[in-house]
CSV table of all heavy atoms in Angstrom, one decimal:
chain,number,residue,atom,x,y,z
A,1103,GLU,N,54.2,156.2,131.1
A,1103,GLU,CA,52.9,156.2,131.9
A,1103,GLU,C,53.3,155.9,133.3
A,1103,GLU,O,54.0,154.9,133.6
A,1103,GLU,CB,51.9,155.2,131.3
A,1103,GLU,CG,50.7,155.2,132.2
A,1103,GLU,CD,49.5,154.5,131.5
A,1103,GLU,OE1,49.5,154.3,130.2
A,1103,GLU,OE2,48.5,154.1,132.2
A,1104,THR,N,52.9,156.7,134.3
A,1104,THR,CA,53.3,156.6,135.6
A,1104,THR,C,52.1,156.6,136.6
A,1104,THR,O,52.3,157.1,137.7
A,1104,THR,CB,54.3,157.7,136.0
A,1104,THR,OG1,53.7,158.9,135.9
A,1104,THR,CG2,55.5,157.6,135.1
A,1105,HIS,N,50.9,156.1,136.2
A,1105,HIS,CA,49.8,156.4,137.0
A,1105,HIS,C,49.8,155.6,138.4
A,1105,HIS,O,49.1,155.8,139.3
A,1105,HIS,CB,48.5,156.1,136.3
A,1105,HIS,CG,48.2,154.7,136.0
A,1105,HIS,ND1,47.9,154.2,134.7
A,1105,HIS,CD2,48.0,153.6,136.8
A,1105,HIS,CE1,47.6,152.9,134.7
A,1105,HIS,NE2,47.7,152.5,136.0
A,1106,GLY,N,50.8,154.6,138.5
A,1106,GLY,CA,51.0,153.9,139.7
A,1106,GLY,C,51.4,154.9,140.9
A,1106,GLY,O,51.1,154.6,142.0
A,1107,PHE,N,52.0,156.0,140.5
A,1107,PHE,CA,52.4,157.0,141.5
A,1107,PHE,C,51.2,157.6,142.1
A,1107,PHE,O,51.3,158.3,143.2
A,1107,PHE,CB,53.3,158.0,140.9
A,1107,PHE,CG,54.8,157.5,140.8
A,1107,PHE,CD1,55.1,156.8,139.6
A,1107,PHE,CD2,55.7,157.7,141.7
A,1107,PHE,CE1,56.4,156.3,139.5
A,1107,PHE,CE2,57.0,157.3,141.6
A,1107,PHE,CZ,57.4,156.6,140.4
A,1108,ASP,N,50.0,157.5,141.5
A,1108,ASP,CA,48.8,158.1,142.1
A,1108,ASP,C,48.4,157.4,143.4
A,1108,ASP,O,47.7,157.9,144.2
A,1108,ASP,CB,47.6,158.0,141.1
A,1108,ASP,CG,47.8,158.8,139.9
A,1108,ASP,OD1,48.5,159.8,140.0
A,1108,ASP,OD2,47.2,158.5,138.8
A,1109,GLU,N,48.9,156.1,143.5
A,1109,GLU,CA,48.5,155.3,144.7
A,1109,GLU,C,49.4,155.6,145.9
A,1109,GLU,O,49.2,154.9,146.9
A,1109,GLU,CB,48.6,153.8,144.3
A,1109,GLU,CG,47.8,153.5,143.0
A,1109,GLU,CD,46.3,153.8,143.2
A,1109,GLU,OE1,45.8,153.6,144.2
A,1109,GLU,OE2,45.7,154.3,142.2
A,1110,THR,N,50.4,156.4,145.8
A,1110,THR,CA,51.3,156.6,146.9
A,1110,THR,C,51.4,158.1,147.3
A,1110,THR,O,51.4,159.0,146.4
A,1110,THR,CB,52.7,156.0,146.7
A,1110,THR,OG1,53.5,156.3,147.8
A,1110,THR,CG2,53.3,156.6,145.4
A,1111,SER,N,51.6,158.4,148.6
A,1111,SER,CA,51.8,159.7,149.0
A,1111,SER,C,53.3,159.9,149.4
A,1111,SER,O,53.7,161.0,149.8
A,1111,SER,CB,50.9,160.1,150.2
A,1111,SER,OG,51.2,159.1,151.3
A,1112,HIS,N,54.1,158.9,149.2
A,1112,HIS,CA,55.5,158.9,149.6
A,1112,HIS,C,56.4,159.4,148.5
A,1112,HIS,O,57.5,159.8,148.7
A,1112,HIS,CB,55.9,157.6,150.1
A,1112,HIS,CG,55.1,157.0,151.3
A,1112,HIS,ND1,55.1,157.6,152.5
A,1112,HIS,CD2,54.3,156.0,151.3
A,1112,HIS,CE1,54.3,156.9,153.3
A,1112,HIS,NE2,53.8,155.9,152.6
A,1113,PHE,N,55.9,159.3,147.3
A,1113,PHE,CA,56.8,159.7,146.1
A,1113,PHE,C,56.0,160.6,145.2
A,1113,PHE,O,54.8,160.5,145.0
A,1113,PHE,CB,57.2,158.4,145.3
A,1113,PHE,CG,57.9,157.4,146.1
A,1113,PHE,CD1,57.3,156.3,146.7
A,1113,PHE,CD2,59.3,157.6,146.3
A,1113,PHE,CE1,58.0,155.4,147.4
A,1113,PHE,CE2,60.0,156.6,147.0
A,1113,PHE,CZ,59.4,155.5,147.6
A,1114,LYS,N,56.8,161.6,144.7
A,1114,LYS,CA,56.2,162.5,143.7
A,1114,LYS,C,56.2,161.8,142.3
A,1114,LYS,O,57.0,160.8,142.1
A,1114,LYS,CB,57.1,163.7,143.6
A,1114,LYS,CG,57.1,164.6,144.8
A,1114,LYS,CD,58.0,165.8,144.5
A,1114,LYS,CE,58.0,166.7,145.7
A,1114,LYS,NZ,58.9,167.9,145.5
A,1115,HIS,N,55.3,162.2,141.4
A,1115,HIS,CA,55.4,161.7,140.1
A,1115,HIS,C,56.7,162.1,139.4
A,1115,HIS,O,57.3,163.2,139.7
A,1115,HIS,CB,54.3,162.4,139.2
A,1115,HIS,CG,53.0,161.5,139.2
A,1115,HIS,ND1,52.9,160.5,138.3
A,1115,HIS,CD2,51.9,161.6,139.9
A,1115,HIS,CE1,51.7,159.9,138.5
A,1115,HIS,NE2,51.1,160.6,139.5
A,1116,PRO,N,57.3,161.2,138.6
A,1116,PRO,CA,58.6,161.5,138.0
A,1116,PRO,C,58.6,162.9,137.3
A,1116,PRO,O,59.7,163.5,137.2
A,1116,PRO,CB,58.8,160.4,137.0
A,1116,PRO,CG,58.1,159.2,137.7
A,1116,PRO,CD,56.9,159.8,138.3
Side-chain angles (χ1 to χ4, degrees):
E1103 180 164 342
T1104 65
H1105 72 235
F1107 283 84
D1108 292 338
E1109 307 300 320
T1110 177
S1111 59
H1112 302 295
F1113 299 97
K1114 294 180 182 179
H1115 266 277

